[in-house]
Amino acid sequence: MSMHEIEDLVEETTYLIDRSSNDELITKRDLLFNLYCFEAFFDTSYTHFRVMDILLKNRFVYQIPIAKYPQLGITDEQLPTDEYGDWVYDQDQKEMGYAQSKNGEMYLYCDAGDWFWKRLCELDILPKADHKSPQKLSTPQLVKVIMLEAERQHDNNLLKHWYNLLANAILGGDFEEDEGVPGTFDGFLQNDHFSEIRDIALRNQLMEQKTSSERDDYLLLPHLKDNLSSATGLEETYKIRYLLEFSKSIDQLRSAYQKDQLALETGPEKISIIQPFINNYLTPLGWHYVGMEPEKTWLWYQDIDDDQYEGPGHRLFMLFKLDADESTLFCNLAVQHSLILKWQEKQPSLLPKDWHFHYDLSGWLSGDFTSKNKHLGSWGSWKFDLKASEKVLKSHLENLIEGLKQSDYFGFVLVEFPQKFLAKDLQRILYLLDEGEDGTGIIPKYVLFDSKITTLIAFAKWATENNDVQQAEKIMNQIEEMAATQDVSALQKEVIIDPLLRLWHQKKAIMFPPVWHLHLVKSLREKIE
């Protein structure tokens, strides 16, 4: 669906540019070129015909009578047959321009700067004066020039809409540094275009307008507090403040930024409270701490005897990882299941690559717990901003422990696997891994494995355990077909599928290879590198 509000804004801005009598204005042709390049960043349709007379007059768009130039090699088969027109492509399916019939004659429309415009120049179909390439402007430079012109013409609506669109697009990650949008707060401070844009906003009191918390309200001013509450990291926080906190001057923001930077330098001391705080809760419950690589990662495990499957026992894990840049503390819960260890002929290990099941703790928190929980960040995990006081950080850890207390993940996995999980409809499980529940993409918690191949192997192995040779054969055939016809990575084929099928064809036996999940993939790739 097109973003009609941006299409309308571009149309209104085209009229603004056409009305301009400012001699110092960058050429209208250059502005129109950059304006429509900007429009193309978004989900918009071809809007040129709304203002085609203006675009033609300013030599940004060229109207070429196709019949007059046979050297272009455009055939009737390439041309649209309906009255509204359509895009025309060359033999390599490269876009040439938009074709439409007018008064019985077919015209091709192309923009200055396009590859087909260059071809028109090479063939001298266009006058020499039109061979000059449009000047490319950075995104902030374009917005600044438009806002200055809107200010001159006293168009307050366009002023607001362009500032709001720029702020929303930056906060939404629509622009990169290649488009002239800095990646750091210091970059904003050093950018003259942003400095002028902020000055324009201040002197026209753009802060005195309705704000919105919705990400798709591109033409409404983003809400400062809502954006700050979901910000992760110092740079993102101050990018938001620069764009939306008009009550603070640049010097005040710079001073606050430097103060927060100094606070971050005490980060190692604050990080050091995590391990003992969590350890004081887990150790009395029978958990054992293990130092982990990389830095800012902490692992605890607990062993549970197995009196049901005659395996080496279950091993449960809690892995905590701090992303200091994102100011977030993650908690991952995991299980090595005794039956799968028995099938693999292995003992429990301490490596995440050997986990059988895993899930983020945040996925096992009740709605009552997460609703309006000030300790949770935008990722659903816990805030841990090193700029905060030790008292605040400890309150986050206390809340995390409350989350651990209410989670029933380990009990759920040990009850579900193997009997309940492997009694389910296999094909339904595979469908859910692709599409989620009711096509939502949300995979139910009872789908225990991340991988379709691992799921199939578990069902096949369970069939052999129950002497159902016919079912095991059927599933192994499905694995072989999937490996041949679906998008299976070379790594998965080498590590999982090839050894599995080789043993099956040789001995009609089913091995249980490593469970395929992100931690295993990461470990395998690190070995290759």
Side-chain angles (χ1 to χ4, degrees):
M1 180 182 292
S2 290
M3 300 176 75
H4 299 300
E5 71 276 23
I6 294 178
E7 294 175 349
D8 293 343
L9 179 63
V10 168
E11 179 182 357
E12 293 167 12
T13 305
T14 301
Y15 289 121
L16 178 88
I17 293 169
D18 189 52
R19 288 193 304 266
S20 175
S21 59
N22 177 25
D23 293 336
E24 297 179 2
L25 189 69
I26 294 169
T27 69
K28 294 179 181 180
R29 181 177 186 250
D30 289 341
L31 272 180
L32 293 169
F33 167 77
N34 285 279
L35 175 63
Y36 283 86
C37 286
F38 181 92
E39 183 186 38
F41 274 109
F42 303 94
D43 181 16
T44 53
S45 55
Y46 187 72
T47 61
H48 289 38
F49 283 105
R50 295 187 184 188
V51 287
M52 186 59 80
D53 289 346
I54 295 174
L55 304 184
L56 290 170
K57 179 178 70 174
N58 289 286
R59 306 187 335 277
F60 165 56
V61 173
Y62 295 87
Q63 182 188 54
I64 307 299
I66 295 173
K68 188 176 177 181
Y69 298 101
Q71 63 266 46
L72 294 176
I74 299 174
T75 64
D76 290 342
E77 288 74 18
Q78 292 172 271
L79 298 174
T81 56
D82 63 74
E83 59 180 306
Y84 300 107
D86 204 348
W87 293 102
V88 175
Y89 300 88
D90 67 6
Q91 292 180 343
D92 297 324
Q93 291 302 302
K94 197 172 182 181
E95 190 178 280
M96 301 171 72
Y98 198 91
Q100 190 179 69
S101 178
K102 182 179 180 182
N103 299 325
E105 186 169 8
M106 187 67 73
Y107 290 92
L108 186 73
Y109 298 84
C110 73
D111 296 353
D114 287 354
W115 78 270
F116 194 68
W117 164 83
K118 294 177 183 176
R119 183 177 170 191
L120 295 175
C121 294
E122 291 167 358
L123 294 172
D124 283 328
I125 291 174
L126 298 182
K128 290 292 184 185
D130 291 320
H131 288 200
K132 183 181 178 181
S133 296
Q135 178 188 353
K136 178 65 176 170
L137 307 178
S138 68
T139 295
Q141 185 179 9
L142 171 68
V143 174
K144 178 196 72 176
V145 172
I146 291 172
M147 289 182 69
L148 284 170
E149 186 58 32
E151 187 178 39
R152 289 188 187 99
Q153 297 188 29
H154 307 292
D155 193 329
N156 199 52
N157 279 334
L158 275 184
L159 266 174
K160 289 190 294 187
H161 289 163
W162 270 103
Y163 188 83
N164 300 346
L165 174 56
L166 178 66
N168 276 299
I170 291 172
L171 297 181
D174 292 314
F175 298 121
E176 303 290 340
E177 292 190 54
D178 289 348
E179 283 83 47
V181 176
T184 64
F185 176 65
D186 187 60
F188 277 85
L189 296 179
Q190 302 298 325
N191 190 294
D192 291 339
H193 299 308
F194 275 106
S195 178
E196 286 191 65
I197 288 170
R198 203 172 194 273
D199 287 343
I200 298 168
L202 285 167
R203 65 176 175 257
N204 287 278
Q205 298 184 318
L206 298 190
M207 69 292 295
E208 303 296 332
Q209 60 171 303
K210 181 181 177 181
T211 60
S212 173
S213 300
E214 299 298 325
R215 287 288 186 186
D216 55 356
D217 284 337
Y218 268 84
L219 300 190
L220 292 178
L221 186 68
H223 195 280
L224 172 63
K225 287 186 178 179
D226 286 349
N227 277 275
L228 286 177
S229 68
S230 60
T232 52
L234 187 67
E235 297 302 330
E236 184 179 357
T237 295
Y238 276 87
K239 177 169 63 177
I240 293 167
R241 294 186 68 179
Y242 185 95
L243 293 168
L244 304 179
E245 194 168 354
F246 295 107
S247 61
K248 295 287 191 297
S249 69
I250 293 295
D251 286 341
Q252 287 173 316
L253 289 176
R254 181 186 288 110
S255 177
Y257 176 80
Q258 291 169 348
K259 181 180 177 182
D260 285 343
Q261 271 191 317
L262 288 173
L264 285 176
E265 292 178 7
T266 64
E269 297 175 20
K270 293 176 179 176
I271 292 172
S272 68
I273 71 175
I274 295 174
Q275 191 276 337
F277 199 101
I278 296 173
N279 197 58
N280 287 342
Y281 167 68
L282 292 179
T283 298
L285 300 177
W287 289 82
H288 307 283
Y289 172 69
V290 181
M292 280 287 290
E293 294 290 341
E295 240 185 325
K296 307 186 188 83
T297 305
W298 304 269
L299 179 72
W300 280 263
Y301 75 93
Q302 183 183 80
D303 288 331
I304 298 179
D305 292 337
D306 167 27
D307 55 7
Q308 188 174 1
Y309 306 109
E310 299 179 353
H314 309 291
R315 179 163 284 182
L316 317 180
F317 299 90
M318 292 188 190
L319 179 68
F320 299 84
K321 184 173 182 179
L322 175 66
D323 188 328
D325 292 335
E326 301 291 348
S327 302
T328 303
L329 182 61
F330 297 92
C331 176
N332 208 230
L333 310 176
V335 177
Q336 282 182 333
H337 197 284
S338 184
L339 178 61
I340 296 180
L341 288 170
K342 177 184 174 183
W343 288 346
Q344 293 177 325
E345 299 179 2
K346 289 184 176 180
Q347 294 296 312
S349 81
L350 295 172
L351 301 176
K353 73 179 183 66
D354 296 327
W355 289 350
H356 300 145
F357 310 103
H358 68 97
Y359 217 103
D360 285 339
L361 172 59
S362 57
W364 287 83
L365 303 176
S366 68
D368 289 342
F369 184 86
T370 58
S371 178
K372 298 181 180 179
N373 189 331
K374 65 181 181 180
H375 303 283
L376 299 180
S378 57
W379 298 96
S381 294
W382 279 262
K383 295 178 182 176
F384 205 88
D385 189 342
L386 297 179
K387 301 189 303 297
S389 68
E390 190 170 311
K391 180 181 178 181
V392 169
L393 296 179
K394 285 184 176 180
S395 72
H396 296 331
L397 293 174
E398 287 169 357
N399 187 260
L400 186 155
I401 287 171
E402 289 303 313
L404 290 173
K405 288 178 180 178
Q406 72 159 242
S407 167
D408 63 347
Y409 174 72
F410 298 119
F412 176 84
V413 170
L414 296 180
V415 167
E416 282 287 310
F417 192 85
Q419 284 91 344
K420 285 189 176 183
F421 176 69
L422 297 173
K424 298 184 189 299
D425 182 337
L426 171 58
Q427 303 311 317
R428 173 68 179 166
I429 295 290
L430 299 179
Y431 168 83
L432 290 171
L433 280 166
D434 273 337
E435 304 294 335
E437 195 81 68
D438 299 324
T440 62
I442 300 173
I443 300 174
K445 292 176 180 176
Y446 62 77
V447 178
L448 297 179
F449 296 110
D450 296 341
S451 159
K452 289 197 287 185
I453 294 294
T454 297
T455 300
L456 285 162
I457 295 169
F459 273 83
K461 187 69 174 176
W462 188 244
T464 61
E465 293 278 300
N466 290 279
N467 298 314
D468 190 343
V469 177
Q470 185 176 3
Q471 177 68 359
E473 178 101 33
K474 180 180 177 182
I475 295 171
M476 292 303 293
N477 288 341
Q478 186 173 357
I479 292 173
E480 192 158 16
E481 181 181 348
M482 186 179 292
T485 61
Q486 295 192 19
D487 187 15
V488 176
S489 72
L491 196 58
Q492 189 177 26
K493 194 170 184 299
E494 176 187 351
V495 174
I496 307 294
I497 298 173
D498 287 349
L500 174 78
L501 294 178
R502 189 161 49 245
L503 182 64
W504 172 252
H505 289 309
Q506 290 173 353
K507 300 183 178 179
K508 291 297 178 184
I510 298 176
M511 63 181 290
F512 203 97
V515 173
W516 192 258
H517 52 61
L518 61 94
H519 298 286
L520 174 64
V521 174
K522 181 181 177 183
S523 174
L524 292 171
R525 286 177 177 165
E526 286 173 352
K527 283 184 179 179
I528 294 172
E529 294 170 1

